Amino acid sequence: MTVLTLGPAGTFSHELAAALFGDDIELLPTIRAIIERVAGGSADGLVPIENSEAGGVGETLQGLMEFGVSITGEAYMPVRHHLAAREDPERLMVIYAHPQTHEQCSILLGSLGVEVVHTSSNAASAVAMQGDSRAGAVIPEMAATIYGLPIVLRDIQNNRENTTRFVQISATPREGARCTKCSLLVDPGTDRVGLLAEILGVFARRGINLTRIESRPSRRGIGRYVFFIDLEISEGWQEAKEELKRMTTVRELGCYARLEVPGI
Amino acid sequence: MTVLTLGPAGTFSHELAAALFGDDIELLPTIRAIIERVAGGSADGLVPIENSEAGGVGETLQGLMEFGVSITGEAYMPVRHHLAAREDPERLMVIYAHPQTHEQCSILLGSLGVEVVHTSSNAASAVAMQGDSRAGAVIPEMAATIYGLPIVLRDIQNNRENTTRFVQISATPREGARCTKCSLLVDPGTDRVGLLAEILGVFARRGINLTRIESRPSRRGIGRYVFFIDLEISEGWQEAKEELKRMTTVRELGCYARLEVPGI
């Protein structure tokens, strides 16, 4: 089965998809386009859902709300940036970097004192340095491989804990014995005092661990939200889910296992 | 007192700041720069904190976590986009629009069938159409006024409910008798089963309405969060706050009133 993920070639999404699924990958320009195609049923998708520095990925959460796809796996990808160059870093005239990448590597780049020029993507940084022997670029491993660029400094990101969580999405659920986690989308409709406390109480009373709760706009006006809730599957969770469904509107986004990433 | 807000001239932030505070406004290029200057104590700031379509504004929430500023007011601004042109809309050769603005006006722009070219900001769209009589731009009211551009179609956004909530920020709290709302930043530190349910229960038991809860990465590794909680001030809320402080780490971001916006 083809897996759709976010291009251009050399993104973190591409690197993770290649490690997990091999060669049968198709790169699309937007997360929304991936989720839309997956809903059509012809392919699976791999999309980022949250980052440990920046938080939830709005485009993915919005897509999960709009399209009837299921989450069928999750994977964690450390965000690792490297300096590619054909010179000593101190002798470079310019370093190309995406603004977010620049921010994530600000300590090392600041200490080098070389001018940083911003680009539209990490892949664009790789392309920009290709023709110029005095230029460097801050890029992920896979971009260096694809564009044949030598890495001179590894892991230059400020925070070694920087990690992005990805989810595999499919047109239909694939719940198996190995599933350890379940994602729910709760829409309280009309709000009232204490409703969210009651919703969380359904899980707390049974000792079920919620690994994440994220509010998102319902798009029915400001101050009205839906909630993405992730829980660890443990005794009583099916019962909790049924109790919750009697209280409010709940969509099961899927139960799934963590995918081991070879070589990462 | 000078009020700092987000430029360039003609942004929604600028329009709202002018309506609320008159002429003593300074425009800065980033939200982070505004919050940093406000923390220094020489000025107040006005920054967007959430939008009814896109959700929380990460840069503002991150700035509130990092800098010791207080929220001293809130205001709501409808997001209204207009088509500026010197021609019948159907006769235009090109329409300039920021990508997010394009998305928010996709229905009308799609129906016109004119090529849309993306720009880096709404103000840049206004500048781009200036020299070309066959070009249009999708811009807010204030950008049309500043750049002297005629509006030919008003309120072309897909969703009439689209609203952004702004907060006024100051170096120190300014709590008065008129305050109706209070914002807290809760950092649970180490997570355990049911902790968030207990935190919300403190308010639910007393009938205190939470108007918003938003999880944000703690930046201590993936899966570890802090929570922004907004509540309506009502009987027992001080007691609830004290109980909460005995359970976990709580920072009071400020109590405040809603600012009425003249003419909007």
Side-chain angles (χ1 to χ4, degrees):
Chain A
M1 154 102 57
T2 302
V3 175
L4 311 174
T5 197
L6 197 62
T11 59
F12 286 109
S13 297
H14 185 193
E15 185 169 342
L16 179 63
L20 286 171
F21 305 111
D23 287 337
D24 195 5
I25 292 167
E26 189 180 333
L27 301 173
L28 296 186
T30 67
I31 289 173
R32 191 181 173 83
I34 294 167
I35 298 177
E36 199 166 357
R37 277 271 302 276
V38 169
S42 62
D44 271 13
L46 183 75
V47 289
I49 191 162
E50 61 170 324
N51 172 266
S52 61
E53 303 273 304
V57 179
E59 218 181 333
T60 296
L61 298 172
Q62 188 59 35
L64 290 173
M65 282 170 68
E66 284 183 40
F67 296 97
V69 297
S70 291
I71 300 177
T72 52
E74 67 169 351
Y76 291 80
M77 174 88 176
V79 175
R80 300 178 60 182
H81 294 293
H82 312 299
L83 180 65
R86 299 188 199 82
E87 277 278 3
D88 273 355
E90 288 79 8
R91 297 193 53 215
L92 294 171
M93 300 295 288
V94 62
I95 294 174
Y96 294 103
H98 184 264
Q100 206 178 325
T101 304
H102 184 187
E103 192 194 321
Q104 290 175 345
C105 303
S106 59
I107 298 173
L108 182 108
L109 291 176
S111 75
L112 284 179
V114 176
E115 188 196 2
V116 177
V117 171
H118 287 171
T119 62
S120 62
S121 71
N122 288 324
S125 303
V127 171
M129 78 161 273
Q130 273 188 312
D132 180 353
S133 66
R134 301 290 298 273
V138 185
I139 51 177
E141 185 82 39
M142 195 167 189
T145 307
I146 290 175
Y147 295 97
L149 301 171
I151 292 173
V152 290
L153 287 172
R154 291 198 161 266
D155 287 319
I156 63 168
Q157 64 276 5
N158 299 348
N159 184 346
R160 299 292 170 104
E161 302 292 312
N162 191 344
T163 301
T164 302
R165 178 180 166 230
F166 287 77
V167 287
Q168 182 179 358
I169 52 173
S170 315
T172 52
R174 254 178 244 156
E175 299 178 8
R178 290 178 53 249
C179 292
T180 57
K181 223 167 162 182
C182 188
S183 293
L184 304 173
L185 177 56
V186 176
D187 185 348
T190 46
D191 193 26
R192 61 177 169 74
V193 171
L195 180 60
L196 187 58
E198 281 174 41
I199 289 171
L200 300 187
V202 167
F203 300 102
R205 274 202 310 282
R206 294 177 172 88
I208 296 166
N209 191 31
L210 303 183
T211 56
R212 181 162 172 261
I213 174 164
E214 173 141 2
S215 59
R216 292 288 302 169
S218 68
R219 301 202 166 180
R220 291 191 300 263
I222 197 147
R224 303 183 65 179
Y225 307 97
V226 299
F227 299 95
F228 285 86
I229 294 176
D230 293 348
L231 60 89
E232 280 174 5
I233 292 178
S234 60
E235 212 189 312
W237 83 274
Q238 292 273 15
E239 201 183 276
K241 197 174 62 181
E242 295 312 317
E243 185 180 335
L244 197 63
K245 284 181 180 175
R246 290 191 293 271
M247 287 168 58
T248 185
T249 306
V250 181
R251 187 178 133 209
E252 295 184 48
L253 293 170
C255 294
Y256 47 88
R258 180 166 172 166
L259 306 170
E260 291 309 320
V261 187
I264 286 180
Chain B
M1 154 102 59
T2 301
V3 174
L4 311 173
T5 197
L6 197 62
T11 60
F12 286 108
S13 298
H14 185 194
E15 185 169 341
L16 180 63
L20 286 171
F21 305 111
D23 287 339
D24 196 5
I25 292 167
E26 188 181 333
L27 301 173
L28 297 187
T30 67
I31 290 174
R32 191 183 173 82
I34 295 167
I35 298 177
E36 198 167 355
R37 277 271 301 276
V38 169
S42 61
D44 272 12
L46 183 75
V47 289
I49 192 162
E50 61 170 324
N51 171 266
S52 61
E53 303 273 303
V57 179
E59 218 180 334
T60 296
L61 298 171
Q62 187 59 36
L64 290 173
M65 283 170 67
E66 284 183 41
F67 296 97
V69 297
S70 291
I71 300 177
T72 53
E74 67 169 349
Y76 292 79
M77 173 89 176
V79 175
R80 300 179 61 183
H81 294 293
H82 312 298
L83 180 66
R86 299 188 199 83
E87 277 278 4
D88 272 354
E90 288 79 8
R91 296 192 54 214
L92 293 171
M93 300 295 288
V94 61
I95 294 173
Y96 294 102
H98 184 264
Q100 206 178 324
T101 304
H102 183 187
E103 193 194 321
Q104 290 176 346
C105 303
S106 58
I107 298 173
L108 181 107
L109 291 176
S111 76
L112 284 179
V114 176
E115 187 196 3
V116 177
V117 171
H118 287 172
T119 62
S120 61
S121 71
N122 288 325
S125 302
V127 172
M129 77 162 273
Q130 273 188 312
D132 179 353
S133 66
R134 301 291 297 275
V138 185
I139 52 178
E141 186 82 39
M142 195 168 188
T145 308
I146 290 176
Y147 295 96
L149 301 172
I151 292 173
V152 290
L153 288 174
R154 289 198 162 267
D155 287 318
I156 63 168
Q157 63 277 5
N158 300 347
N159 185 346
R160 298 293 172 103
E161 302 291 312
N162 191 346
T163 301
T164 302
R165 178 180 167 232
F166 286 77
V167 287
Q168 182 179 357
I169 53 173
S170 314
T172 51
R174 253 178 246 157
E175 299 177 9
R178 290 179 53 250
C179 292
T180 57
K181 223 166 163 184
C182 188
S183 294
L184 304 174
L185 177 57
V186 176
D187 184 347
T190 46
D191 193 28
R192 62 178 168 76
V193 171
L195 180 60
L196 187 58
E198 282 174 40
I199 288 171
L200 300 188
V202 167
F203 300 103
R205 274 201 310 283
R206 294 178 172 88
I208 296 167
N209 190 31
L210 302 183
T211 56
R212 179 162 173 261
I213 174 164
E214 173 142 1
S215 59
R216 291 288 304 168
S218 68
R219 300 201 166 179
R220 291 191 300 263
I222 198 149
R224 303 184 64 181
Y225 308 97
V226 299
F227 299 94
F228 286 86
I229 293 176
D230 293 348
L231 59 90
E232 280 174 5
I233 292 179
S234 60
E235 212 189 313
W237 82 276
Q238 292 273 15
E239 200 183 278
K241 197 175 63 181
E242 295 311 317
E243 185 181 334
L244 197 64
K245 284 181 178 174
R246 290 190 294 271
M247 287 168 59
T248 185
T249 305
V250 181
R251 188 179 132 208
E252 295 184 49
L253 292 171
C255 294
Y256 46 89
R258 179 166 172 166
L259 306 170
E260 291 309 320
V261 187
I264 286 181

